[in-house]
Amino acid sequence: MDVRPNPDPGRAAPEHSGAYLATALSLAVYSGVLTAWTVYGIRQGDGNAWDFLEGMFNPGASLTTQVLGPHEWAFTVACLVIAGLALAQRRVARSAALLSGFVLLAVSLREGLGLFDAAYRDQYRHDPLGGWALATRGLGLVVALVVLLAMFPATERRRGVHPSAPGAADDPEAWWRRSSRICGVLFLLMGLARIGWAVRDLTGVGTGHYLRAVVDGSVLGTLDLAAPTEFTTVGSVLVLFVLGVLALPGRHEVRGALLVFAALELYVTVRMVVWLTVTDFFNRSFETPGGALSLATTAYALAAMTSVVVLAGGRGFGPYGGMRTEGFRTAAVGRNGGL
C-alpha cells in the first residue's frame, strides 16, 4: 500500500512494479522483432526508407515489398508506447497491455489452428524465412501469456483522489463518466457500422470461407505475417463492442485500452482517407448509394476515433479521473495573477 502523503493516483502500486516491468520488457522485445521485419522488407524492396514512410500514409506511394501491413506497423508503435508507459509504472498502461495481450493471443491461436494443415506446415519447412516467421509467432504467444498473466492480477483501488462535491463543474468523476459514456457510444456505433460492411462482404466470398479466414491461418495458402482483412475486421468489431460496453458504466480501468485502440483505428482511417483522396473517390462517391454510404462511414470513423483520443487522452485529468495536481496548481496560480 502506498503510504506517501500525496501518492500519484496514476502510478501503479509498488507491489505491482514487477508485473509492469515484465510487461514493458516483453512488449519492447516483440515490437523490436516487428521492427526488424519492417527493416527487412524495406531492404528487400525496390524503394527506400523515405518511400516506406510515405507509404505508411499513402497506400499507393510505397515501392517497397513489405512483410507486414499497416495494422502491424500501428501495433508495433502501440507496443512501444505501452511498454514505455508500463516502464514508467503508469496505471493507464494496464488495460492497454491487456488489449495487446489478447490481440497477440488471438493471432497465435489462429496460426496454431493453421498449423494443423500439413501443406501449411510444409511451407514453414521449405520457405527460407519460415523458421524466423514461426519463431516470431512463438514469441508472440509467449509475450501474450506473460502480459496477460502479469497484468490480470495487477488490480488496485484508486487512491489519492479527493472528489469534488457531487454535481460540481470541476468534479473529475462526473467528467470522466460523461466522457467514458460518450466513448462507449461512439465505439458501439462504429462496431455496428463494421458489422454492416462485414455482412455485405459475406455475400461476395461466402460465410464459411470468410469465417474460416478469421480463425485459420492456412486459408490464404501462403506464409504472411500481415493479418488478412477478415481477421482485422472481425477483431476490430469484437474490440469495439467489448470496450464500448466496458466504457458505458464509466470504468476508469478501460481508459488506456480506449486510447490505444482509438489511436490505431484513427491511423488506419487516415490512411484510408489519403487513399480515397489520391484515387479521386470523393468526387465519385455520390454516384452510387454504396459509395455515399462508404464515405459517410469513413467520415464517422474519422470523427469518432478523433473524439475518443481527445476524450480518453485529456491532459487536464489523471488516468483514473482525478484532476492532476499540476492542473490545480496552474489554475490557482492563474487566478492569483502569477506566472
Side-chain angles (χ1 to χ4, degrees), residues 1 22 86 91 136 183 240 243 262 325:
M1 183 170 135
R91 296 173 70 182
T136 301
C183 293
L240 286 168
L243 293 184
T325 55

Side-chain angles (χ1 to χ4, degrees), residues 95-139:
S95 62
L98 288 173
L99 174 62
S100 67
F102 278 118
V103 170
L104 285 175
L105 183 61
V107 171
S108 301
L109 293 177
R110 178 179 180 273
E111 193 67 17
L113 184 60
L115 289 174
F116 282 100
D117 185 272
Y120 191 60
R121 292 197 304 271
D122 287 339
Q123 291 188 52
Y124 273 109
R125 285 195 292 265
H126 298 140
D127 192 294
L129 296 177
W132 291 107
L134 187 60
T136 301
R137 296 300 194 190
L139 176 64

Side-chain angles (χ1 to χ4, degrees), residues 53-190:
L53 292 176
E54 185 179 1
M56 288 183 66
F57 293 94
N58 181 4
S62 177
L63 299 176
T64 58
T65 302
Q66 285 300 319
V67 180
L68 306 179
H71 289 89
E72 288 73 27
W73 301 334
F75 188 69
T76 301
V77 176
C79 285
L80 284 173
V81 172
I82 298 170
L85 291 172
L87 189 62
Q89 303 287 302
R90 307 309 298 178
R91 296 173 70 182
V92 71
R94 180 176 180 266
S95 62
L98 288 173
L99 174 62
S100 67
F102 278 118
V103 170
L104 285 175
L105 183 61
V107 171
S108 301
L109 293 177
R110 178 179 180 273
E111 193 67 17
L113 184 60
L115 289 174
F116 282 100
D117 185 272
Y120 191 60
R121 292 197 304 271
D122 287 339
Q123 291 188 52
Y124 273 109
R125 285 195 292 265
H126 298 140
D127 192 294
L129 296 177
W132 291 107
L134 187 60
T136 301
R137 296 300 194 190
L139 176 64
L141 177 60
V142 172
V143 170
L145 294 177
V146 169
V147 171
L148 294 177
L149 293 176
M151 296 305 271
F152 256 122
T155 58
E156 49 192 322
R157 62 181 179 84
R158 290 182 294 123
R159 60 196 190 282
V161 177
H162 304 284
S164 304
D170 61 344
D171 181 7
E173 291 289 332
W175 180 90
W176 173 247
R177 282 195 299 269
R178 289 193 299 268
S179 300
S180 182
R181 287 166 185 159
I182 293 172
C183 293
V185 171
L186 293 175
F187 265 41
L188 292 176
L189 291 177
M190 190 70 246

Side-chain angles (χ1 to χ4, degrees), residues 2-326:
D2 197 338
V3 295
R4 290 173 297 174
N6 293 301
D8 182 357
R11 187 174 177 83
E15 60 265 26
H16 299 316
S17 60
Y20 279 77
L21 180 60
T23 297
L25 294 177
S26 299
L27 292 178
V29 169
Y30 188 74
S31 61
V33 171
L34 294 184
T35 301
W37 278 110
T38 302
V39 173
Y40 173 81
I42 295 174
R43 293 176 63 89
Q44 293 298 116
D46 298 326
N48 52 38
W50 292 111
D51 294 321
F52 167 73
L53 292 176
E54 185 179 1
M56 288 183 66
F57 293 94
N58 181 4
S62 177
L63 299 176
T64 58
T65 302
Q66 285 300 319
V67 180
L68 306 179
H71 289 89
E72 288 73 27
W73 301 334
F75 188 69
T76 301
V77 176
C79 285
L80 284 173
V81 172
I82 298 170
L85 291 172
L87 189 62
Q89 303 287 302
R90 307 309 298 178
R91 296 173 70 182
V92 71
R94 180 176 180 266
S95 62
L98 288 173
L99 174 62
S100 67
F102 278 118
V103 170
L104 285 175
L105 183 61
V107 171
S108 301
L109 293 177
R110 178 179 180 273
E111 193 67 17
L113 184 60
L115 289 174
F116 282 100
D117 185 272
Y120 191 60
R121 292 197 304 271
D122 287 339
Q123 291 188 52
Y124 273 109
R125 285 195 292 265
H126 298 140
D127 192 294
L129 296 177
W132 291 107
L134 187 60
T136 301
R137 296 300 194 190
L139 176 64
L141 177 60
V142 172
V143 170
L145 294 177
V146 169
V147 171
L148 294 177
L149 293 176
M151 296 305 271
F152 256 122
T155 58
E156 49 192 322
R157 62 181 179 84
R158 290 182 294 123
R159 60 196 190 282
V161 177
H162 304 284
S164 304
D170 61 344
D171 181 7
E173 291 289 332
W175 180 90
W176 173 247
R177 282 195 299 269
R178 289 193 299 268
S179 300
S180 182
R181 287 166 185 159
I182 293 172
C183 293
V185 171
L186 293 175
F187 265 41
L188 292 176
L189 291 177
M190 190 70 246
L192 290 174
R194 289 277 171 81
I195 288 179
W197 284 108
V199 171
R200 179 177 178 271
D201 293 339
L202 286 175
T203 60
V205 299
T207 304
H209 178 81
Y210 189 95
L211 295 179
R212 188 184 170 201
V214 174
V215 299
D216 188 349
S218 67
V219 170
L220 295 179
T222 58
L223 295 183
D224 197 349
L225 290 176
T229 302
E230 295 86 353
F231 179 81
T232 56
T233 299
V234 174
S236 67
V237 168
L238 291 175
V239 174
L240 286 168
F241 273 103
V242 171
L243 293 184
V245 170
L246 292 177
L248 287 179
R251 296 173 63 95
H252 296 274
E253 295 82 2
V254 78
R255 181 190 175 210
L258 286 173
L259 182 59
V260 167
F261 190 73
L264 295 178
E265 287 288 308
L266 182 59
Y267 163 71
V268 175
T269 304
V270 168
R271 196 168 186 269
M272 175 60 68
V273 169
V274 173
W275 175 245
L276 296 178
T277 302
V278 299
T279 56
D280 201 31
F281 175 82
F282 290 120
N283 293 331
R284 297 179 285 104
S285 59
F286 292 101
E287 295 178 0
T288 63
L293 187 59
S294 176
L295 182 61
T297 304
T298 303
Y300 173 78
L302 189 63
M305 296 304 107
T306 301
S307 299
V308 174
V309 169
V310 172
L311 290 172
R315 295 186 61 184
F317 295 85
Y320 286 82
M323 182 173 283
R324 295 191 179 103
T325 55
E326 292 85 357

